[in-house]
Every structure is written in structure tokens, then in C-alpha cells.
């Protein structure tokens, strides 16, 4: 910009850009992270050609309630599979050099418990034990962090009575 502030252009790329792929839930059914990595790599190349450098993907929320409208964007209900797929998305989008025009900064979302909203309703509260949080919902986020994900997006809901963005337990502890 004229003030020297870099512009970061982001887009929600969850199943392709110019080339459209199956939804992430469908892709994860293959149990082949190399497929996910290739989808993310192709998407990064196509998006980079349009000057976009950041994607609000992958969504790694664990979902046990099919009523939740965003269940299609994740890998389903298994935290192990969710972690494997999270890492594949991150590797595919980010590659080895984020300064390259053919890579994208990944943004793992929605940290945390967005997929556990009561009654499958977006933005609804989540009342869950810390054990269930650690065993079921956090592993895919941890896997994405281990893969070097560039950014995290907080969830929009309350977690244990506190908005996720203000939860000391989630954000700091």
C-alpha cells in the first residue's frame, strides 16, 4: 500500500478453487493423506496465480452431530484421522517456502470446539469436560501445529461459559 503496509488477501478454499474437488469429509474417507496433500497443492497453485496468499483452511473440527451444517468441511468424528488429514492439508498448502507464489498460508480452524456446539447449531455453547476436550477435540489442532501451520482461527462459540477468544484455558494454557 502507499503506507508500506503489506496486503494479505485471504479466501476460504475448502475443496478447491478453479478445480473443484470432493468435499473434505469425502476426501478424508480415502484415508490417504497424499490425496489431501495433492488437492491442497493444486489449490495453492491456482489461488496463488490470483494473488491470494492465505486460506481459511483446513477446518479440523471434530463433529459428532450430523445436524451441524459444517460437518462437510472436516474429516469427521475421529481425532486420529483428523490429525493426519490436518497435517496433509497444511503440507499441501504451505509447501516448503511460504514466499513462493505457489504456496498459501494455512489457517487451521475453528479453535476449539466449534464442531461440538450443542444441538448442531452454529455459534451455540459448548459444555464439555477438559478430558473430552483433550482426547477428542484438540488432537487435530495439535497435529496442525506440529506440521507448522501458519495461523489459527478461533471458534465463535462459548466454551465452558467463556467465549473461545477470551478463554485463558484455550488460548494460553
Amino acid at each position: 500500500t502507499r503506507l508500506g503496509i503489506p496486503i494479505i488477501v485471504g479466501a476460504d478454499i475448502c475443496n478447491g478453487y478453479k478445480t473443484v474437488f470432493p468435499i473434505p469429509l469425502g476426501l478424508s474417507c480415502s484415508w490417504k493423506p497424499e490425496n489431501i496433500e495433492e488437492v491442497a497443492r493444486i489449490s495453492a497453485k491456482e489461488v496463488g496465480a490470483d494473488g491470494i496468499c492465505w486460506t481459511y483452511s483446513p477446518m479440523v473440527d471434530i463433529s459428532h452431530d450430523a445436524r451441524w451444517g459444517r460437518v462437510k468441511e472436516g474429516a469427521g468424528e475421529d481425532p486420529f484421522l483428523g490429525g493426519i488429514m490436518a497435517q496433509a492439508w497444511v503440507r499441501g498448502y504451505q509447501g516448503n517456502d511460504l514466499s513462493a507464489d505457489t504456496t498459501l498460508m494455512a489457517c487451521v480452524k475453528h479453535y476449539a470446539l466449534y464442531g461440538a456446539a450443542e444441538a448442531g447449531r452454529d455459534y451455540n455453547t459448548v459444555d464439555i469436560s477438559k478430558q473430552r476436550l483433550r482426547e477428542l477435540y484438540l488432537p487435530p489442532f495439535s497435529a496442525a501445529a506440529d506440521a507448522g501451520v501458519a495461523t489459527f482461527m478461533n471458534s465463535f462459540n462459548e466454551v465452558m461459559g467463556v467465549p473461545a477468544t477470551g478463554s485463558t484455558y484455550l488460548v494460553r494454557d
Side-chain angles (χ1 to χ4, degrees), residues 14 26 43 52 81 85 90 110 135-136 145 151 163:
C14 68
S43 298
I52 297 168
L81 176 62
M85 296 305 166
V90 170
H110 305 91
E135 290 178 0
L136 287 176
T151 61

Side-chain angles (χ1 to χ4, degrees), residues 22-96:
I23 61 173
L25 182 62
L27 290 168
S28 70
C29 291
S30 71
W31 280 77
K32 292 186 176 184
E34 60 273 15
N35 292 351
I36 301 287
E37 197 167 336
E38 184 176 359
V39 165
R41 169 76 14 243
I42 291 167
S43 298
K45 288 178 182 177
E46 292 177 353
V47 169
D50 279 351
I52 297 168
C53 56
W54 186 28
T55 181
Y56 317 126
S57 177
M59 187 185 90
V60 301
D61 298 296
I62 297 297
S63 177
H64 291 134
D65 191 335
R67 295 175 295 177
W68 186 48
R70 298 189 71 170
V71 69
K72 68 183 180 100
E73 290 182 55
E77 62 184 3
D78 183 83
F80 178 74
L81 176 62
I84 289 170
M85 296 305 166
Q87 290 182 328
W89 283 110
V90 170
R91 284 191 309 267
Y93 286 137
Q94 295 186 175
N96 296 323

Side-chain angles (χ1 to χ4, degrees), residues 113 116-118 124-129 132 157-161:
L113 294 170
E118 289 181 7
N124 208 358
T125 191
V126 176
D127 189 10
I128 201 161
S129 71
R132 192 164 172 84
N157 52 296
E158 275 187 6
V159 177
M160 296 179 260

Side-chain angles (χ1 to χ4, degrees), residues 61 110-114 133 137-138 141 154-155 157 159 164 170:
D61 298 296
H110 305 91
Y111 184 74
L113 294 170
Y114 187 46
L133 168 67
Y137 294 94
L138 291 184
F141 291 97
N154 279 347
S155 63
N157 52 296
V159 177
L170 284 178

